[in-house]
Amino acid sequence: MDKRVEPPQNPDESAVREPHETHGKGPARRRRVLPWILLAVAAGAIALFALRPHGAPAGGAPGHGGPGGPGGPGGPGMMGGQAQAQAVGVATAATGDVPVRLTSLGTVTSLATVTVKSQISGYLQAIDFREGQHVKKGDLLAQVDPRQYQVALKQYQGQVVKDKALLDNARLDLARYQRLAKTDSVAQQTLDTAEATVREYEGTVLTDQAQVDAQQLNLTYCRIVSPVDGRVGLRQVDVGNYVTASDTDGVVVVTETDPISVVFTLPEDDLRRLNQRLASGAHLQVSAYDRAGDEKLADGVLDTVDNQIDTTTGTVKLRALFKNADGALFPNQFVNISLLLDTLHDAVTIPSEAVQTGTPGTFVYRVNDNQTVSLRKIRTGAAADGHTAVLAGLAVGDRVVVDGADHLSDGAKIRLPKQGGDKAATKTAADTTGRPQS
């Protein structure tokens, strides 16, 4: 058998074919690796940006004292340096009188509001006032037709004359019977009858006289007069109308405006201090302001405190009296009330904007001699006219931060303006104007 001898294989054939065999797998592997490479690059870029010192120039070389290094303005080495000092405004604590005031919303209330009605029936003949006119007590307001009452008066006056004549005759008969009775010339029964007749006519005359007085009173009621001093409103009836005592609207309403009162409320927590001041004999001053609290309308005094606390609101009502000759206060007007309860004399005062509140409580930033601040807890009292009394925590002459305190902390470095940094010259002690604080 012939043996077929195959030609020897080229030893480099497999090497030549291998690239062709893996040609289909190379691009697929690169497509799978490329997204991971891009993701790693993005993550590295984000981490580099997050770790890069903010505010450092791009060309700074960290660690070499350059602009971005520890010794540069933006590096950590200058966090307490002059470049990081906070510019602030300060004021100096001083002494002054601070009024202790209680504020509330009040309603102007007239001391007397009278609906003037006719007390008799009749036709209205005349109206003798102008709407809005100020009248005095007893001034004529309107006139009711009096003729029917004049006629009735004459009738009862005639009856009085008639009954008085009967009374006089009865008294004469009684006198005769009394003389006859002394000589037993008349029966006792006749004498008793004569005495009873006299008493009867005396009663009749009294009744007639009462009728006369009633008609005279009706004639007086025909003149409708003002019962109080005050201001008349719009008339409720016109001339020619028939008025009666049962008319609900009346003729006109008269409201007393001078003096006038304001009724307001205070929380029950203030009642103890208020009663202590009243018990000491103090006459507490009250000021009334407009609804915006900008313009003072009148000054008055506290008149009285109600006798019970409203359980639904926890407040007590008070009434203050005001002179109101100029009519600045109008009935049912809403006003802001400021009650001067007491005055703190020679108290340590600072501008109210210096007082801060937060986790430590109530505090201020006190300026130290080394251009730093210290957080100082204080106890405050009354506040008025932009100033607050400090009861504890500060002394006269201490300087406190009033502007720029929002970004400060205890021990922070500050920078004061070269001139005009201390507001003590412009921030004076609180006066006693008592303007309600908004």
Side-chain angles (χ1 to χ4, degrees):
M1 175 188 305
D2 293 336
K3 295 182 179 180
R4 295 180 62 182
V5 179
E6 296 184 8
Q9 297 180 352
N10 188 352
D12 296 332
E13 185 178 359
S14 62
V16 174
R17 287 198 306 266
E18 183 177 358
H20 296 283
E21 293 175 355
T22 61
H23 180 72
K25 298 180 181 179
R29 182 179 297 121
R30 285 195 298 270
R31 284 195 299 271
R32 288 195 300 270
V33 174
L34 182 59
W36 292 101
I37 296 176
L38 295 177
L39 181 62
V41 173
I46 293 174
L48 180 62
F49 178 78
L51 297 177
R52 178 169 172 257
H54 293 288
H64 296 284
M78 289 298 293
M79 291 299 291
Q82 185 67 21
Q84 296 296 326
Q86 175 70 34
V88 298
V90 301
T92 303
T95 59
D97 294 342
V98 179
V100 180
R101 291 187 173 270
L102 305 176
T103 59
S104 177
L105 182 65
T107 304
V108 180
T109 305
S110 174
L111 294 175
T113 300
V114 182
T115 300
V116 181
K117 297 182 179 181
S118 174
Q119 300 187 60
I120 58 173
S121 299
Y123 287 98
L124 199 63
Q125 280 189 332
I127 291 179
D128 296 282
F129 66 86
R130 290 180 294 102
E131 295 174 328
Q133 174 185 351
H134 287 273
V135 295
K136 297 293 184 181
K137 182 178 180 180
D139 285 353
L140 180 64
L141 300 179
Q143 177 71 50
V144 178
D145 187 359
R147 290 174 294 180
Q148 59 175 327
Y149 302 104
Q150 291 172 348
V151 172
L153 175 61
K154 291 181 179 180
Q155 178 182 352
Y156 286 113
Q157 285 175 340
Q159 190 66 38
V160 168
V161 173
K162 174 184 176 181
D163 291 336
K164 279 186 176 181
L166 294 175
L167 175 61
D168 292 339
N169 185 59
R171 284 173 177 172
L172 292 175
D173 290 341
L174 176 61
R176 286 193 294 266
Y177 291 142
Q178 287 174 342
R179 289 194 300 268
L180 293 173
K182 292 178 181 180
T183 60
D184 293 331
S185 300
V186 68
Q188 184 65 36
Q189 181 179 359
T190 303
L191 178 61
D192 294 340
T193 302
E195 291 177 352
T197 302
V198 170
R199 290 194 297 270
E200 178 184 358
Y201 286 133
E202 286 177 346
T204 302
V205 170
L206 287 176
T207 301
D208 294 340
Q209 186 60 48
Q211 293 291 344
V212 170
D213 295 339
Q215 297 308 315
Q216 289 176 341
L217 184 59
N218 286 337
L219 287 175
T220 302
Y221 288 156
C222 287
R223 289 172 49 87
I224 302 176
V225 299
S226 175
V228 294
D229 296 348
R231 185 173 184 267
V232 297
L234 304 179
R235 68 175 184 267
Q236 305 298 318
V237 66
D238 297 323
V239 174
N241 284 274
Y242 190 81
V243 295
T244 65
S246 61
D247 292 340
T248 57
D249 294 334
V251 177
V252 72
V253 176
V254 180
T255 303
E256 185 176 359
T257 58
D258 184 19
I260 203 167
S261 71
V262 174
V263 176
F264 60 100
T265 60
L266 287 177
E268 59 180 312
D269 296 339
D270 297 328
L271 188 58
R272 183 181 60 84
R273 293 187 299 164
L274 179 64
N275 285 334
Q276 288 177 349
R277 291 288 292 153
L278 294 176
S280 66
H283 297 281
L284 303 183
Q285 297 180 359
V286 181
S287 298
Y289 291 80
D290 61 2
R291 295 188 65 172
D294 297 328
E295 181 183 358
K296 181 188 289 188
L297 302 178
D299 289 318
V301 294
L302 181 65
D303 180 53
T304 186
V305 181
D306 200 3
N307 58 357
Q308 59 183 351
I309 295 174
D310 188 345
T311 57
T312 59
T313 60
T315 59
V316 61
K317 289 183 179 180
L318 302 93
R319 184 188 297 273
L321 295 181
F322 296 85
K323 294 292 185 181
N324 194 37
D326 58 352
L329 299 178
F330 206 79
N332 296 335
Q333 177 184 4
F334 289 102
V335 293
N336 284 294
I337 290 296
S338 177
L339 170 64
L340 178 59
L341 183 64
D342 202 354
T343 301
L344 301 178
H345 298 287
D346 297 328
V348 179
T349 62
I350 59 174
S352 297
E353 56 263 32
V355 180
Q356 307 291 322
T357 56
T359 303
T362 303
F363 63 94
V364 296
Y365 286 110
R366 180 182 178 275
V367 178
N368 302 321
D369 295 336
N370 59 352
Q371 299 292 303
T372 61
V373 293
S374 299
L375 188 149
R376 180 71 62 88
K377 295 181 64 176
I378 61 173
R379 183 162 60 92
T380 60
D385 195 42
H387 280 72
T388 299
V390 179
L391 305 181
L394 285 179
V396 177
D398 288 345
R399 294 191 299 171
V400 293
V401 176
V402 294
D403 295 327
D406 296 340
H407 304 289
L408 294 180
S409 60
D410 189 21
K413 194 75 174 178
I414 62 171
R415 183 174 73 254
L416 300 178
K418 294 182 179 180
Q419 294 181 354
D422 194 338
K423 295 187 178 182
T426 58
K427 299 289 185 180
T428 60
D431 62 16
T432 58
T433 57
R435 174 177 171 180
Q437 301 297 313
S438 58

